[in-house]
Amino acid sequence: MKYLFVFFISTFTFAQHTEVVDFKTINATLEINPIKRNVVGKCEYTFEVIQKTDTIRIDAQKMEFSNVKINGYDVKFKANKKQFLLFEGFKNGTNTLTFNYEAFPTQAMYFVNWDFSKEMDTPEKVQGQIWTQGQGRYTSNWLPSFDDVNEKVIFGLTIAFHKSFEVISNGVLVNKTENGDSISWHYQMQKPMSSYLLMLAIGHFQKQTQIANSQIPLEFYYENGDSNKIEPTYRYSKQVFDFFEKEIGIPYPWEVYRQIPVRDFLYAGMENTTTTLFSRDFVVDSIGYNDRNYLNINAHELAHQWFGNIVTAKSGKEHWLQEGFATYYALLAEREVFGEQYFYNELYKSSRQIAQASKTDTIPVLNEKASSLTFYQKGAWALHVLREALGKDKFNLAVKKYLEKCAFQNVTTDDFLTEIDLISNYDTKSFRKRWLEGSVFPNEEVDALLQKNDFMKEYLQLLATPLDIVKDKESIVKLMKSDVYFPIKELLVYQSASKAFEQKHYLLIEALKTNELHVRQAVASSMAAIPESFREQYETLLKDRSYETQEIALFNLWKQFPKFREKYIELSKNWIGFEDKNLKLQYLSLAYLTDKKDAKKFKIYQELLSYTGTNYDSGIQQNALQKLLNLKINTKKFLEVWLMLLEIIVGNL
């Protein structure tokens, strides 16, 4: 069959203790067809029956099974739309289960850009990718496995795929074997993990490898043609990895760490064991890095290798043990890279978000229905409160002992707080009630911690008592010329936004002179009207090393100075911008509105419409469609494309 790809999955024994049945190993041969978008498998599981039971359950979404045997004998079974159920043939102790199955996954496994045409009818030319997403989607959509995070197994995959593609999965790449037009890739985990952390990524990737101080290989993947984006995309990756091993005090728990950008990814990033997948939107060049760097997501997903993968929350109620920890340790990593002032500014911004949300959101951290903001940001703040109260050394010691005692197990909040109790007299009961079980955000406690930093103290003072744009001119100019951290200068610009131009003119000039991208971007976005006398100064924003600033400035100048529109269109004709081509699409939409010749307008329209094609990522398609909607070009072709994309988007929800 054309484009039929074969997978072989195996595992080694590693004891995991569950109450009734403990699955030990999985061996499977999978065939994945990107044309049919189905999975056909032949599997072997070994498991131990610890206590007598009448039913063994394996999660399997909408799968068909055949040739089911336990310990070599045919057995009866039942398969509903959610589970594969076994009733006979097993015994106390070790058992072996084998079966064949077929699945047509509608989620958890995604086939991107597998639309073949006459021009793209060979594997070498096809820009297709296959990637998986287990958390929130369930690996049981494509492999019979365990939606319960408390069932952990060691996975090993051998994947046969066309030799023009790179194939990546969890664990160490043991070997590669070439066989005709295909290569078999054998990956092997050494320690157990929950099924939602199983992953697969296939595409035309290349990689660059660095070695951590602990000798762990760090593999950075990228697509062909993105070699100039490797350094800015993965900037500080090794530094963050080395920092975590030192700060956490527990060596990285696996044998290799990979990061892979994939197309049309559902989330910013996903911390699959040993292998993070992340959105290609964060693949940036040196200019894009200034607006949209990957560092926070990079650090967040890496932190999960300890908090979530080596120890896994027992239930959704304890989800903060994964997301709160990963969020906080990502902030600690950013402090290591960007400094103390950056760290406190990020804490401040998240505190305002939580405080605002808490006015209507009364669900506490320890609740499976808590919002992402609560699990992530409030959970991180809870850890900051603990670290400040205990001191860095005691906090780190508690975290280390928590990870050591609970390694490769499932955990609760009590497991962590017990370690705090053992090394200190800190009142964890009050902490738990205040930060984890309460819905009120402790603003006074938060502000007191923020004001331990001098920059933040000055920022909060300025926020509470703004300087007068006229009376305090000397103080404002002094601040703008000083080396004070940029958010203070940024705040001065935004606080002057409603003032008359004549009053704030000097401030805007000083803001532009700072040459600080964020401060200059504040000027770009805060001006509702640009006087002619300020046009040339404002035009300098078009040359900033910021795709966001350039987009804002281009639109504002085009809108407010019609007689210079052709100049701005000519200046921006070769702009591209981020992965979603924000500048290119902005240029096309403005060029369409500027040009008076129908033939040229039609050519621009065709180019803009071309970016809605399925050969482009969904981010580009949506951006292009939005531009077309704004232009109100409601042709039949456009409406057909819009409906097709809407169907794709809904299908991925």
Side-chain angles (χ1 to χ4, degrees):
M1 184 180 293
K2 193 177 182 182
Y3 299 110
L4 184 65
F5 306 116
V6 183
F7 289 63
F8 307 95
I9 301 182
S10 65
T11 68
F12 295 148
T13 300
F14 194 105
Q16 284 298 306
H17 301 290
T18 55
E19 293 182 0
V20 179
V21 178
D22 180 14
F23 280 85
K24 302 289 187 178
T25 67
I26 298 175
N27 295 276
T29 302
L30 305 183
E31 297 179 353
I32 299 179
N33 188 319
I35 308 303
K36 290 185 175 181
R37 303 195 177 195
N38 73 328
V39 180
V40 177
K42 182 177 182 181
C43 306
E44 178 181 289
Y45 291 38
T46 61
F47 61 92
E48 182 181 357
V49 176
I50 300 171
Q51 296 181 19
K52 186 177 180 180
T53 182
D54 57 4
T55 306
I56 293 176
R57 303 171 186 270
I58 299 174
D59 295 304
Q61 309 289 323
K62 301 176 184 178
M63 297 182 183
E64 295 182 358
F65 293 85
S66 62
N67 197 28
V68 179
K69 297 183 179 184
I70 294 181
N71 299 325
Y73 296 96
D74 292 336
V75 295
K76 295 179 181 179
F77 65 93
K78 182 178 180 181
N80 55 36
K81 292 183 178 181
K82 294 184 177 181
Q83 290 186 320
F84 175 38
L85 308 175
L86 301 166
F87 309 101
E88 62 182 26
F90 46 85
K91 60 185 179 181
N92 288 344
T94 301
N95 297 264
T96 300
L97 164 69
T98 60
F99 58 85
N100 297 344
Y101 81 97
E102 182 174 14
F104 288 86
T106 56
Q107 58 179 355
M109 175 176 282
Y110 299 90
F111 302 87
V112 180
N113 290 348
W114 289 96
D115 298 317
F116 302 114
S117 66
K118 291 181 179 179
E119 292 77 27
M120 296 174 61
D121 59 354
T122 64
E124 292 82 2
K125 293 181 180 180
V126 172
Q127 294 303 309
Q129 292 183 354
I130 300 173
W131 49 263
T132 59
Q133 170 62 27
Q135 187 174 41
R137 302 284 167 165
Y138 300 131
T139 298
S140 59
N141 279 274
W142 59 276
L143 176 72
S145 51
F146 309 99
D147 297 345
D148 181 0
V149 299
N150 295 283
E151 182 68 70
K152 294 193 173 188
V153 181
I154 297 177
F155 292 92
L157 287 74
T158 300
I159 307 137
F161 208 84
H162 191 277
K163 62 184 179 182
S164 68
F165 288 83
E166 192 84 7
V167 178
I168 309 100
S169 188
N170 313 79
V172 173
L173 176 60
V174 178
N175 57 57
K176 291 165 56 177
T177 305
E178 188 167 350
N179 182 15
D181 287 337
S182 70
I183 294 176
S184 293
W185 306 68
H186 178 199
Y187 289 92
Q188 182 63 55
M189 288 294 299
Q190 303 299 321
K191 298 168 186 173
M193 66 184 192
S194 301
S195 295
Y196 79 90
L197 296 168
L198 185 66
M199 62 73 58
L200 179 68
I202 300 173
H204 290 303
F205 298 114
Q206 297 184 47
K207 71 178 178 182
Q208 184 182 94
T209 302
Q210 295 183 23
I211 304 297
N213 290 347
S214 60
Q215 300 305 302
I216 296 293
L218 308 177
E219 298 179 354
F220 307 134
Y221 285 79
Y222 59 97
E223 288 191 28
N224 298 341
D226 284 341
S227 58
N228 66 318
K229 299 177 181 178
I230 302 170
E231 189 282 324
T233 298
Y234 294 111
R235 189 175 295 171
Y236 303 118
S237 290
K238 179 183 180 300
Q239 181 179 344
V240 170
F241 189 96
D242 293 336
F243 168 74
F244 276 164
E245 288 206 302
K246 183 178 179 181
E247 182 74 13
I248 297 171
I250 299 290
Y252 176 73
W254 322 102
E255 295 76 30
V256 63
Y257 185 56
R258 306 181 182 91
Q259 298 177 76
I260 310 168
V262 294
R263 295 173 178 262
D264 291 351
F265 197 54
L266 300 173
Y267 309 99
M270 177 60 201
E271 70 278 8
N272 309 292
T273 309
T274 73
T275 308
T276 286
L277 298 183
F278 66 97
S279 171
R280 195 165 181 264
D281 288 343
F282 293 99
V283 176
V284 295
D285 59 19
S286 58
I287 297 177
Y289 176 87
N290 295 323
D291 293 311
R292 188 185 293 177
N293 73 68
Y294 167 59
L295 181 60
N296 181 267
I297 296 164
N298 184 341
H300 182 101
E301 306 308 337
L302 175 57
H304 272 309
Q305 299 296 326
W306 286 267
F307 307 106
N309 297 12
I310 188 172
V311 294
T312 309
K314 281 189 176 180
S315 68
K317 175 185 176 182
E318 312 286 349
H319 194 49
W320 84 283
L321 292 173
Q322 295 174 191
E323 300 302 349
F325 271 81
T327 301
Y328 187 56
Y329 273 85
L331 278 175
L332 293 177
E334 288 185 297
R335 182 174 68 179
E336 178 74 6
V337 173
F338 298 133
E340 196 82 4
Q341 294 176 328
Y342 179 95
F343 174 75
Y344 274 93
N345 191 46
E346 292 301 305
L347 281 175
Y348 163 74
K349 289 191 293 186
S350 69
S351 73
R352 299 308 96 170
Q353 288 181 296
I354 303 166
Q356 182 62 33
S358 66
K359 294 177 181 179
T360 55
D361 184 356
T362 59
I363 301 177
V365 171
L366 282 178
N367 189 308
E368 62 182 7
K369 295 182 179 180
S371 66
S372 293
L373 182 66
T374 298
F375 279 135
Y376 287 63
Q377 303 298 343
K378 191 174 181 181
W381 255 104
L383 291 172
H384 184 62
V385 168
L386 272 178
R387 193 173 188 269
E388 290 295 298
L390 296 174
K392 174 183 174 180
D393 292 341
K394 283 191 175 182
F395 178 82
N396 285 355
L397 179 61
V399 170
K400 180 179 179 181
K401 289 187 174 295
Y402 161 66
L403 291 174
E404 286 176 339
K405 290 182 181 180
C406 302
F408 309 108
Q409 299 177 39
N410 295 82
V411 292
T412 66
T413 298
D414 285 339
D415 292 320
F416 173 59
L417 294 183
T418 294
E419 298 307 318
I420 303 291
D421 291 333
L422 289 174
I423 65 167
S424 74
N425 295 320
Y426 184 75
D427 188 352
T428 55
K429 290 183 179 179
S430 175
F431 166 81
R432 181 187 181 110
K433 185 175 181 180
R434 191 170 73 257
W435 277 95
L436 306 179
E437 296 176 343
S439 60
V440 176
F441 188 59
N443 284 299
E444 290 186 7
E445 186 176 1
V446 165
D447 285 349
L449 288 174
L450 287 172
Q451 294 196 50
K452 291 176 68 174
N453 176 263
D454 290 338
F455 147 70
M456 188 50 60
K457 189 182 298 183
E458 185 175 3
Y459 184 89
L460 292 173
Q461 177 62 35
L462 180 61
L463 192 66
T465 311
L467 295 175
D468 188 285
I469 195 75
V470 176
K471 295 179 181 179
D472 298 316
K473 178 178 179 179
E474 185 177 338
S475 296
I476 291 174
V477 171
K478 185 177 180 181
L479 279 172
M480 281 294 182
K481 290 183 175 181
S482 73
D483 60 357
V484 68
Y485 196 43
F486 78 84
I488 287 178
K489 301 175 186 180
E490 193 179 45
L491 180 59
L492 289 170
V493 174
Y494 285 121
Q495 285 180 334
S496 72
S498 62
K499 303 299 182 181
F501 176 77
E502 293 74 17
Q503 291 180 321
K504 65 182 180 182
H505 179 242
Y506 77 90
L507 186 154
L508 297 175
I509 293 295
E510 293 298 333
L512 291 178
K513 286 181 180 178
T514 65
N515 290 324
E516 295 180 8
L517 290 175
H518 293 92
V519 180
R520 288 174 60 86
Q521 190 172 111
V523 174
S525 59
S526 67
M527 296 188 68
I530 308 168
E532 169 60 34
S533 62
F534 193 67
R535 177 178 56 80
E536 290 188 2
Q537 290 96 326
Y538 193 93
E539 284 178 346
T540 64
L541 295 166
L542 294 171
K543 298 180 180 180
D544 277 20
R545 291 179 61 79
S546 164
Y547 293 140
E548 290 183 5
T549 301
Q550 288 180 308
E551 183 176 12
I552 295 167
L554 175 63
F555 178 78
N556 288 343
L557 287 165
W558 180 92
K559 181 180 179 182
Q560 296 192 40
F561 300 103
K563 67 178 182 179
F564 293 104
R565 285 180 176 175
E566 291 186 2
K567 167 187 171 181
Y568 300 138
I569 294 303
E570 178 65 22
L571 178 67
S572 60
K573 67 180 181 181
N574 294 319
W575 288 3
I576 302 296
F578 298 114
E579 285 295 322
D580 64 3
K581 300 187 184 299
N582 66 313
L583 294 182
K584 168 60 77 173
L585 297 176
Q586 179 76 293
Y587 157 78
L588 288 172
S589 63
L590 296 181
Y592 180 88
L593 292 171
T594 301
D595 207 286
K596 300 296 190 294
K597 298 178 181 179
D598 288 342
K600 199 167 182 181
K601 287 173 77 75
F602 182 70
K603 186 177 181 181
I604 295 170
Y605 161 72
Q606 283 187 311
E607 184 177 356
L608 192 54
L609 186 65
S610 72
Y611 286 112
T612 66
T614 56
N615 54 317
Y616 288 102
D617 291 359
S618 61
I620 297 175
Q621 295 177 50
Q622 292 176 53
N623 199 357
L625 283 168
Q626 187 59 57
K627 296 297 184 186
L628 289 166
L629 283 170
N630 293 342
L631 294 174
K632 298 181 180 179
I633 308 174
N634 298 322
T635 64
K636 180 180 178 182
K637 177 64 176 176
F638 166 67
L639 291 175
E640 287 176 354
V641 171
W642 187 86
L643 289 172
M644 179 187 68
L645 181 58
L646 182 62
E647 183 178 338
I648 293 172
I649 294 170
V650 171
N652 283 337
L653 294 178

